[in-house]
């Protein structure tokens, strides 16, 4: 049953009965009865007609031209009548038992063969005008005289030049209602085969094969040994791989989100300084001046450094200088730092944290070290490393440095070196360079400070006096980020301050409004 239920197979059954997919169930003087050839006509039915029908649906019957039941019954009735006529003169009693009285299914073929021979004899007599025993037995002559066609009991009978019958085969299949239907006629003629289709849509004749023509060769071959590999295993493996990829992708996304959050926390911890970790030096000095660590930090602020035996530049910071309008000094991680006060509150985004981290990682001898920002204090602070000798502006204003040309050149060179490093970094430009944010450490090395915090500076109110170092084109455009060219302009103003030994535009002595 596996074979007939498989759409890969079709059973082709050649017959010579002129009945197609029918079989004679009963026959008698009153006519014959036909039914499907898959049905069991024996007295003891095996009960497997349904299985045989499944095979019939996969079957193609190739038989001689089919005759209708009425045509066959008409021929059989004539045979019964002729048995009682001369020369047989046979009644029921001389015909044997009931089974012997039924004509054979090949009796119609015998009729057409006999008729063809007698027709050939008639053609011979018509041609020669006489008939002899030798002529009747001459096979070559009879073959030549049998050419032509006539309508016989088995259909249209055609003889070719060699005396062979040119058969017309009918191709019969079951339709959707399990009724036989002729789907094609095949006519063999010398050196040619004529096919006549009786259908317009091929899917209709393969209705019992899901509307598709079977393969010319079964998938597993005719021996069943050429089956392709079982794709079920590969499909399961593929599904498993897809699930694994999806899970890995999901895990990867989750891991990336988790790492991003961790990175944000790390950047926040690295760049955002909690206010609780900043200890205000002014408050510490007033409240706990006996602490050894605090005294050490204060002495660091108030320390003096000798440039020579005769010249001393100090960066002494009195108590009132520990916190000003723009700055505050703190103790952070056992080091003194100063915080630039901002009058605005800004929201720090992820890209800002990345920017702050880059600023913190920027390392150069002439760039001041950035520690981070403090956002949870009463005021926003930008925290930078403290330089003991203060700003270049303070030194110029107090005239507390020696106007030696070498020292002057060294300070200018440090500022230029810091600018070159800043212009070559991600920051691009300082934007607000002035002698106020050029700090000097205990080794008289200039450290440029207050750079890179554009996300704060753009919102910070700026006093007019702080704009004295800004290039005119930046003032017109209100550009706080600045440009490299603008930094060069600011550097030139600082050089003028050093050469003239006075603050920008002589701002200390002049009382003009800015």
């Amino acid at each position: 049953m596996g074979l007939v239920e498989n759409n890969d197979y079709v059973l082709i059954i050649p017959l010579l009965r002129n009945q197609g997919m029918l079989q004679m169930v009963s026959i008698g003087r009153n006519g014959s009865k036909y039914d499907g050839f898959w049905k069991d006509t024996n007295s003891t039915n095996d009960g497997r007609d349904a299985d045989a029908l499944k095979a019939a649906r996969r079957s193609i019957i190739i038989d001689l031209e089919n005759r209708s039941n009425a045509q066959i019954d008409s021929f059989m009735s004539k045979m019964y009548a002729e048995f009682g006529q001369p020369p047989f003169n046979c009644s029921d009693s001389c015909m044997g038992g009931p089974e012997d009285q039924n004509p054979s299914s090949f009796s119609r073929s015998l009729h057409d063969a006999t008729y063809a021979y007698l027709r050939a004899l008639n053609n011979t007599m018509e041609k020669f005008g006489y008939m002899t025993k030798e002529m009747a037995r001459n096979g070559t002559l009879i073959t030549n005289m049998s050419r032509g066609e006539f309508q016989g009991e088995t259909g249209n009978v055609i003889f070719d030049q060699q005396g062979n019958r040119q058969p017309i085969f009918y191709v019969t299949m079951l339709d959707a209602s399990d009724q036989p239907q002729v789907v094609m006629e095949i006519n063999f003629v010398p050196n040619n085969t004529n096919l006549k289709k009786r259908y317009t849509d091929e899917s209709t004749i393969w209705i019992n094969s899901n509307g598709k023509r079977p393969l010319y060769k079964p998938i597993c071959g005719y021996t069943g040994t050429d089956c392709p590999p079982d794709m079920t295993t590969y499909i399961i493996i593929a599904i498993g791989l897809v699930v694994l990829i999806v899970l890995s992708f999901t895990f990867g996304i989750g891991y990336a989100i988790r790492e991003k959050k961790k990175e944000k926390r790390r950047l926040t911890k690295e760049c955002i300084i909690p206010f609780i970790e900043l200890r205000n030096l002014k408050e510490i000095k007033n409240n706990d001046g006996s602490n050894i660590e605090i005294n050490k930090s204060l002495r660091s602020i108030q320390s003096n450094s000798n440039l020579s035996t005769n010249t001393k530049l100090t960066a002494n910071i009195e108590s009132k200088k520990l916190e000003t309008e723009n700055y505050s000094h703190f103790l952070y991680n056992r080091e003194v730092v100063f915080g630039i006060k901002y009058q605005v509150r800004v929201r720090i985004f992820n890209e800002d944290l990345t920017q702050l981290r880059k600023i913190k990682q920027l390392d150069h001898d002439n760039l001041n070290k950035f520690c981070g920002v403090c956002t949870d204090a009463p005021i926003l602070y930008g925290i930078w490393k403290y330089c003991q000798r203060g700003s270049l502006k303070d030194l110029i204003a107090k005239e507390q440095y020696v106007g030696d040309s070498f020292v002057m050149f060294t300070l200018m060179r440090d500022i230029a070196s810091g600018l070159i490093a800043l212009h070559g970094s991600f920051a691009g430009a300082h934007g607000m360079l002035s002698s106020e944010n050029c700090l000097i450490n205990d080794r008289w090395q200039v450290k440029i400070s207050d750079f890179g915090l554009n996300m704060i500076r753009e919102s910070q109110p700026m006093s007019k006096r702080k704009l004295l170092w800004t290039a005119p084109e930046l003032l017109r455009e209100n550009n706080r980020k600045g440009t490299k060219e603008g930094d060069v302009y600011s550097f030139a103003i600082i050089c003028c301050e050093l050469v003239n030994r006075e603050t920008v535009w002589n701002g200390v002595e002049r009382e003009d409004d800015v």
Side-chain angles (χ1 to χ4, degrees), residues 168-171 182-187 194-196 198:
I168 300 177
F169 291 100
Y170 279 22
V171 180
V182 178
V183 298
M184 185 183 298
E185 296 179 16
I186 305 175
N187 183 16
N194 295 326
L195 299 178
K196 181 181 179 181
R198 289 195 177 185

Side-chain angles (χ1 to χ4, degrees), residues 426-456:
F426 69 93
H430 190 292
M432 294 298 294
L433 182 65
S434 67
S435 57
E436 191 175 47
N437 49 43
C438 290
L439 308 181
I440 302 175
N441 64 6
D442 57 347
R443 297 191 303 165
W444 290 93
Q445 188 177 38
V446 177
K447 299 278 189 177
I448 299 177
S449 186
D450 193 19
F451 56 84
L453 301 180
N454 294 328
M455 75 288 292
I456 302 175

Side-chain angles (χ1 to χ4, degrees), residues 389-408:
R389 298 192 179 277
S391 69
L392 185 60
K393 177 186 175 183
D394 293 336
L395 294 180
I396 295 174
K398 295 179 180 180
E399 298 181 356
Q400 289 183 332
Y401 79 101
V402 177
D404 184 86
S405 59
F406 176 77
V407 175
M408 188 185 306

